[in-house]
Amino acid sequence: MIRGQVHDMRQDLDVETPEEDRLMRCYLLKSAALYGAATKMGGILTGATDKETAKLETAGVDLGFSYQFLDDVADVVAGVAGVGKERGMDAGKLTAVDLFGVDGARRKAREFQDRSLAQLEAFGAKADWLRTLVCEASWKAS
């Protein structure tokens, strides 16, 4: 997380890497790593096989990407009442909205959410709580 935050704050120093690659690396090191670690540890602690644990980790990583993309959207279209922070907090940083626009960032977030849910299919009802988290954990405009 710390490495991801440093990467986020120093994006302007890496001008040789394509913008989308920089953004995805940053988000991988931030929320995607956090959610991925949490879901992986859940699998380990509940006795999941290595294959199951890998699926859970991948589901968490995709959830983290979805969250970050929707957080970027929220920074542009929501305010304190909706998400607890002022609009424009990401001004001057490369975001998913900068690369894909508001609608494109929402679409990409949904793709990550769908990928996360696909990883959970094999778990049946045992993963219902995690499915709910995947569907509800990210900010969504009402």
Side-chain angles (χ1 to χ4, degrees):
M1 282 290 296
I2 293 170
R3 187 172 177 198
Q5 193 61 37
V6 168
H7 184 81
D8 192 23
M9 302 309 293
R10 302 186 74 190
Q11 290 179 11
D12 58 326
L13 300 179
D14 183 14
V15 295
E16 294 180 18
T17 304
E19 288 182 329
E20 186 173 351
D21 292 345
R22 279 190 284 151
L23 184 71
M24 295 305 290
R25 173 103 174 116
C26 178
Y27 291 173
L28 177 62
L29 293 171
K30 289 175 61 174
S31 297
L34 179 66
Y35 283 104
T39 53
K40 180 179 181 178
M41 291 307 299
I44 290 169
L45 293 171
T46 59
T49 66
D50 289 346
K51 184 177 178 181
E52 291 170 332
T53 300
K55 284 182 175 281
L56 290 168
E57 181 179 21
T58 300
V61 166
D62 285 332
L63 170 57
F65 281 130
S66 177
Y67 169 82
Q68 275 300 159
F69 273 58
L70 288 175
D71 184 63
D72 288 353
V73 171
D75 187 66
V76 174
V77 301
V80 175
V83 293
K85 67 178 185 175
E86 296 287 339
R87 284 187 189 158
M89 297 291 291
D90 292 338
K93 296 190 312 185
L94 178 65
T95 70
V97 171
D98 293 328
L99 292 180
F100 306 107
V102 169
D103 290 337
R106 282 184 173 141
R107 269 192 307 279
K108 290 283 226 182
R110 180 61 195 206
E111 289 171 17
F112 287 119
Q113 187 181 54
D114 289 344
R115 286 178 17 187
S116 182
L117 292 170
Q119 290 295 320
L120 300 175
E121 286 178 4
F123 294 96
K126 293 187 290 186
D128 283 349
W129 184 87
L130 186 52
R131 274 187 208 89
T132 299
L133 180 63
V134 168
C135 292
E136 300 297 327
S138 300
W139 173 85
K140 295 177 188 171
S142 49

